[in-house]
Amino acid sequence: MKGIPVLRCIAGLSKGRQFELVATETVVGRGEEAGIKIATGNRTLSRRHILIKNKEGRFVLYNQSNNGTLLNNLPVEEAVLHHGDRIEIGDSELEFVLTDEGAAEIKPAATEKTIVEKPGGTLEKRSTETLSQPSEGKPRESTEAIAASADPKKSSKPLKWILLLGLLIVILYLLFFWSSEKGAAIIPPKPIEKKLELTRSLAPDQALQLAREKMTHAEKLYQDRNLNPRNSSEALTAFYQCREYLKMTGSLPPEFSGVGQRIYEIEQLINKDYQNWQQRVLLAERQKDVKTLRFCLENIMTLIPDQHDPRHAWAKKIFNQKNSKTL
């Protein structure tokens, strides 16, 4: 194989970026430890989502995430990559491009000067071309701008402002917590992904039928979510079960293409409702309105019935404390 293969991001927050596969093994994900870090808007993209190995010129993809990986719209655990293959991880989509076959499609970006230390202590300035392209409508960064960003003296001022902003946020958080008069502690809401593993193995046709039933049931609960706060959580669980059954089929029919997006929407909806109820809890605590406080806590426990969820445990703990004081 000639040239260096490239992963090009064609969908997601990192759309327009391109990454060279220069290492023997490259981890792709949202974590800091990933060789290729992909920006994401949700947690369906794992910290270590996929691993790509260079085996004597053949690039092999390995799935590393419980959330699954799609290669050309089909679930995959291990596969050899070819030019033009499309990889879906979380809410992002990547295209595998061979530089010799896709040279006309890949445009070189601005030149970046790098200082490399040679044996013997001498320094040499080399020019390396990066494959990162600017987003449409945005001007390309000049060589001077890239060099300025690499200069520690010129980049120290933004770092100081970031540190000061972080310190201010911590102070405001402590003041808000203190003003609650030793009331309910604030737990920053965050989506908790349910990893449901079905114990029994099913035939693909049977698993596909169960996936359809779960998706139909989940959609009905989602449409009736305003009738009962518990419907949102039950719909989320049904969609998770639908996704597990799909893994058993080894395929992804078009009718299920929106399952991942629906899971993300429901998680965001539950978090938004949780935040609203949490603010009402803190307000009732400051006003010493026990009746309203209990009502809000009961709604949180109904909204998130999973007792292992820290948001449910938070509401239950305060509810029990208030009941013990009343008794």
Side-chain angles (χ1 to χ4, degrees):
M1 182 181 296
K2 300 179 181 180
I4 300 175
V6 171
L7 278 182
R8 178 168 56 189
C9 189
I10 58 177
L13 296 182
S14 296
K15 181 179 179 180
R17 297 190 62 191
Q18 298 180 138
F19 310 90
E20 291 182 341
L21 296 173
V22 294
T24 305
E25 294 184 7
T26 304
V27 174
V28 183
R30 64 178 171 83
E32 296 294 337
E33 67 275 17
I36 295 179
K37 184 178 179 182
I38 304 296
T40 181
N42 60 60
R43 292 181 177 269
T44 56
L45 178 63
S46 301
R47 294 180 179 277
R48 296 173 57 90
H49 204 105
I50 59 173
L51 172 66
I52 298 178
K53 291 185 179 181
N54 182 356
K55 293 187 175 182
E56 299 179 353
R58 296 170 65 249
F59 286 79
V60 184
L61 179 146
Y62 299 89
N63 178 45
Q64 305 280 293
S65 172
N66 291 329
N67 296 331
T69 298
L70 298 181
L71 179 63
N72 298 326
N73 295 325
L74 292 176
V76 67
E77 293 296 328
E78 177 181 345
V80 177
L81 295 174
H82 301 90
H83 175 70
D85 282 348
R86 295 197 171 190
I87 308 164
E88 293 185 40
I89 51 175
D91 59 345
S92 298
E93 186 175 2
L94 307 171
E95 183 181 17
F96 179 76
V97 180
L98 303 179
T99 52
D100 54 338
E101 297 180 19
E105 301 176 3
I106 300 178
K107 300 177 181 179
T111 303
E112 179 181 353
K113 293 185 178 180
T114 307
I115 298 178
V116 181
E117 184 174 359
K118 284 186 173 182
T122 60
L123 297 179
E124 176 188 11
K125 288 188 177 179
R126 295 181 183 175
S127 296
T128 58
E129 290 186 351
T130 63
L131 291 172
S132 299
Q133 294 182 348
S135 302
E136 295 182 8
K138 294 183 179 179
R140 189 187 303 276
E141 289 185 358
S142 63
T143 306
E144 291 77 13
I146 298 175
S149 64
D151 189 346
K153 293 182 178 179
K154 295 182 179 180
S155 61
S156 60
K157 289 186 178 180
L159 180 59
K160 290 180 181 179
W161 282 109
I162 292 173
L163 292 175
L164 288 174
L165 180 60
L167 181 60
L168 179 60
I169 292 174
V170 171
I171 293 173
L172 292 175
Y173 176 84
L174 293 175
L175 288 174
F176 185 76
F177 177 76
W178 173 78
S179 66
S180 64
E181 299 178 357
K182 300 182 180 180
I186 300 174
I187 298 179
K190 59 180 179 180
I192 297 179
E193 182 176 352
K194 296 182 180 179
K195 296 181 180 179
L196 302 177
E197 295 184 0
L198 304 179
T199 55
R200 57 193 181 120
S201 179
L202 302 173
D205 293 342
Q206 187 178 5
L208 185 61
Q209 179 61 30
L210 290 173
R212 287 195 179 100
E213 293 176 1
K214 288 295 180 183
M215 186 174 71
T216 302
H217 179 60
E219 284 290 352
K220 186 177 184 306
L221 289 170
Y222 180 72
Q223 297 301 328
D224 297 339
R225 61 187 182 276
N226 294 328
L227 302 179
N228 187 345
R230 190 184 292 269
N231 284 352
S232 296
S233 294
E234 292 182 356
L236 184 62
T237 300
F239 274 119
Y240 278 127
Q241 291 173 342
C242 172
R243 187 173 63 181
E244 291 300 316
Y245 283 126
L246 285 176
K247 290 181 182 179
M248 296 182 185
T249 66
S251 63
L252 184 65
E255 61 186 294
F256 296 101
S257 60
V259 170
Q261 180 63 28
R262 185 67 84 190
I263 289 175
Y264 173 71
E265 290 174 358
I266 298 176
E267 285 179 342
Q268 296 301 311
L269 179 67
I270 291 175
N271 277 331
K272 183 178 179 180
D273 290 343
Y274 168 75
Q275 288 176 333
N276 291 335
W277 286 114
Q278 187 189 46
Q279 294 302 319
R280 294 181 64 178
V281 166
L282 298 176
L283 180 62
E285 174 69 13
R286 285 195 295 270
Q287 295 176 349
K288 301 188 182 301
D289 187 348
V290 178
K291 183 178 179 180
T292 302
L293 179 64
R294 287 179 178 171
F295 174 76
C296 296
L297 292 171
E298 288 173 349
N299 275 278
I300 290 178
M301 290 186 285
T302 302
L303 177 68
I304 308 173
D306 184 5
Q307 297 185 7
H308 299 288
D309 192 303
R311 295 168 295 184
H312 179 99
W314 171 78
K316 185 176 181 180
K317 179 181 178 182
I318 300 174
F319 186 84
N320 291 337
Q321 287 175 352
K322 298 301 176 184
N323 279 343
S324 62
K325 289 181 179 179
T326 304
L327 296 175

